[in-house]
Amino acid sequence: MPTICAPAAPPRTANRNSPLPLVALCLGYFMVILDVTVVTVALPAIGTGLHAGVTGLQWVVDGYTLVCAGLLLFCGGLGDRLGGKAVFLGGLLVFTVASVGCALAPTVTVLVVARLVQGLGAALMVPASLALLRTAYPERAARARAFGIWGTVAGLAAAAGPVLGGVLVTGLGWRSVFLLNLPVGLVALLLARRHVPDSPADRTRRGLDLPAQTAAAVSLACLTTGCIEAGTLGWTHPAVLGSFAGFVCAALAFLVLERRARAPMLPLDLFRVRAFSASAVVGVMLNAGFYGLLFLAPLYFQQVHHYSALRTGCALLPTVGVAAFGSALAGRLTARTGPRLPMVAGLIVGAAGLLGWLAAGPDTPWVVLVAPMACAGFGSSLTMPASTSAVMESAPGERGGVAAAVFNTARQTGSALGVALFGTLVATGLVPGLHLSALIGAAGFLTAAALSACWIPGTGRACTHDRA
C-alpha cells in the first residue's frame, strides 16, 4: 500500500487544463456507481450458480450500499486528515481487489463478504474524489464543468448498470460483472498515482471519532433494516418497531457525541449554511426516487412483461441516452448561472418522469414508458452535478472531504431507503406498488425543487455567505 500511495517523483504542479486527473477520478467513481445497479439483472444467475436463497441475494445487494453509506462520513474525515490522494488510491486498490474476490467467490457467503469490502473501497474513494476534483480544477467555471462530467459518469454508470449487466450475464456469465472492474481499476490506479494532485490535509485535527462513526452506521443500518423487513413482517411487527427505535436512539447518540467531540467527524456548524443543508436533503430525495425506480423497473419488465435479462437492460436504454446530455448541460448551466437553475429544472422534469409511470400496467406498451424513463433520467442527471457543485462550494477548502462525504452519504442513504421502501410497497402487488412508489418519488422531487429554489444560490451569490 505505501508504495502505491507514495509519489514516484517529487510533487509537481498539476496542469490545470489536463483532463487526466478527471479521467482517473471518473473511472473510480464509474465503478462505484456501476456496482450499485449492475448486479440487479445478475441476481437470478448468481442464485443459480451459488445455490443462494433470497436472503443471500438481498445481502449481495444491500451489504454493498450499507457499508458504503455507513462509512462515507468517516472516510471523508480521513481524507481531510491524511490528504485525498492517499485515501483515494487506497480505496481504489481495495475496491479492485474485492471485485476480483467477488468474481472468484465459491459460495454466496464469500461473495457477500467481498461485497462488504467493496463497500469499504467505495466509501474511501467517493469523498476523496470530490475533494481532489476541487484541487485539480481550482477555477470556478472549470470546476463546475468537471463536476458536470463527473456527474455524467455517475448517471451513465447508474443507468447503464442493468444494460451492461444483461449483456455480460448473457454472454460471459455473472462473474464477468465483477471482473470488469479489474482492468478499469488498474488503469485508474496508474493515472491517479501519476496525474492527480493531492488535496490539502488538515493536520490540526486529531482522532477519528470512532464512537460517533459507530452510532452513525448503526443508525443507518437500523433504518434500512426496518424498511426492508416491514414488507414481510408488517410495519407494526416488534422487530420492525425495534429497528426504528434503534435508528432513533443511534441518531440521537450520534448528535450528542458530535457536539461533545473535540475533533468531530461531522462539524455540525456546516449545516448552518443553507446551501449545504439543502443539497444534503436534495441528495436523499433524488436518489430515493431515481434508484427506487431503477430497482422496480427491471422487476416490472421481467415479472409483468416477462422480458429476459438482456431485453430488460435494453428496455431501460432511454434512461441511459439522456444521462450524458443532462449532466453535460448541468455543468454548463452551473458555470453560467449557479447551481439553482439546473437543480430546480432537473427536479421538476424528474418528477414529471416519475409521475409518467402511473401509466404502467399489465398491458402497457414499452413505447408509452419511453418518455417517463427519459424524463426521469434527464432530470436526475441535470440535478446531480449541480447539487454536487452547490455542496462543495458551500464548504471551506479544508472541509472538502467531509462535505463530499455528507453529500454522498445523503445520496447513498436515499438509495438504500428508496430501494427498501419501494420494495416494501410492491409486496402486495407490483403494479399498484409501482404506482404508489411513483407518487412518493415525485412528491420528494417536488419538495426538493422547492427547497432548491429557496436556499440554493443563483448567479453571483456565494454559498458560504448564505447561512440559515
Side-chain angles (χ1 to χ4, degrees):
M1 174 77 79
T3 58
I4 292 178
C5 296
R12 298 172 298 173
T13 302
N15 181 358
R16 296 179 178 181
N17 297 318
S18 173
L20 293 178
L22 180 60
V23 171
L25 296 171
C26 284
L27 283 175
Y29 194 47
F30 178 85
M31 293 192 298
V32 169
I33 301 300
L34 182 71
D35 273 51
V36 177
T37 59
V38 72
V39 179
T40 304
V41 296
L43 287 176
I46 292 173
T48 301
L50 299 182
H51 308 289
V54 175
T55 301
L57 295 180
Q58 285 178 320
W59 273 107
V60 170
V61 176
D62 294 340
Y64 174 81
T65 303
L66 284 175
V67 171
C68 181
L71 293 179
L72 275 172
L73 282 174
F74 171 79
C75 294
L78 190 66
D80 286 344
R81 290 173 176 84
L82 302 181
K85 186 172 182 178
V87 173
F88 179 81
L89 288 173
L92 190 56
L93 180 62
V94 169
F95 190 94
T96 304
V97 172
S99 297
V100 176
C102 290
L104 300 179
T107 66
V108 69
T109 301
V110 176
L111 177 58
V112 168
V113 172
R115 286 284 284 173
L116 296 175
V117 179
Q118 266 192 320
L120 169 62
L124 287 167
M125 275 194 287
V126 172
S129 66
L130 279 173
L132 291 171
L133 268 183
R134 185 161 67 173
T135 301
Y137 303 97
E139 291 85 3
R140 185 175 183 272
R143 186 188 308 139
R145 286 190 291 270
F147 283 147
I149 296 172
W150 190 79
T152 301
V153 170
L156 285 173
V163 182
L164 185 58
V167 172
L168 290 174
V169 170
T170 302
L172 301 174
W174 68 265
R175 296 182 187 273
S176 63
V177 167
F178 300 106
L179 278 177
L180 175 67
N181 292 332
L182 179 59
V184 177
L186 290 176
V187 171
L189 275 169
L190 293 174
L191 289 176
R193 183 173 179 266
R194 180 171 179 81
H195 296 287
V196 173
D198 204 355
S199 60
D202 186 1
R203 303 295 183 183
T204 63
R205 300 173 66 187
R206 297 290 183 265
L208 295 178
D209 205 6
L210 292 179
Q213 169 60 45
T214 302
V218 170
S219 174
L220 177 59
C222 287
L223 178 60
T224 305
T225 300
C227 290
I228 292 174
E229 294 299 327
T232 54
L233 300 178
W235 291 96
T236 59
H237 191 277
V240 175
L241 295 177
S243 295
F244 290 139
F247 157 70
V248 173
C249 293
L252 291 176
F254 172 77
L255 293 176
V256 171
L257 289 169
E258 288 297 85
R259 287 186 179 276
R260 295 181 177 179
R262 296 181 60 185
M265 175 180 63
L266 173 58
L268 297 179
D269 61 330
L270 282 175
F271 288 97
R272 296 177 183 175
V273 182
R274 288 183 171 182
F276 184 88
S277 298
S279 298
V281 175
V282 169
V284 174
M285 299 292 190
L286 179 68
N287 273 38
F290 181 74
Y291 283 97
L293 173 65
L294 206 58
F295 173 74
L296 295 183
L299 294 178
Y300 170 76
F301 286 124
Q302 289 183 355
Q303 295 183 12
V304 177
H305 291 286
H306 307 291
Y307 285 6
S308 65
L310 180 58
R311 190 178 179 186
T312 296
C314 293
L316 296 172
L317 279 175
T319 308
V320 184
V322 298
F325 175 70
S327 295
L329 179 61
R332 292 180 178 274
L333 286 178
T334 302
R336 294 181 180 180
T337 70
R340 180 170 58 199
L341 176 60
M343 288 176 69
V344 173
L347 288 164
I348 292 175
V349 172
L354 290 174
L355 290 174
W357 276 88
L358 295 176
D363 302 316
T364 303
W366 171 80
V367 68
V368 174
L369 299 175
V370 169
M373 285 191 287
C375 286
F378 177 78
S380 299
S381 63
L382 186 64
T383 303
M384 205 278 284
S387 57
T388 300
S389 180
V391 77
M392 294 304 292
E393 292 287 347
S394 68
E398 70 276 7
R399 291 182 174 177
V402 72
V406 170
F407 180 64
N408 283 282
T409 297
R411 294 183 62 237
Q412 292 292 335
T413 300
S415 299
L417 293 180
V419 171
L421 180 59
F422 289 6
T424 298
L425 294 176
V426 300
T428 57
L430 181 55
V431 172
L434 176 60
H435 291 170
L436 181 56
S437 299
L439 287 172
I440 294 174
F445 270 48
L446 293 175
T447 301
L451 192 61
S452 300
C454 295
W455 280 11
I456 298 298
T459 307
R461 293 175 59 197
C463 294
T464 52
H465 295 162
D466 189 15
R467 296 182 177 270

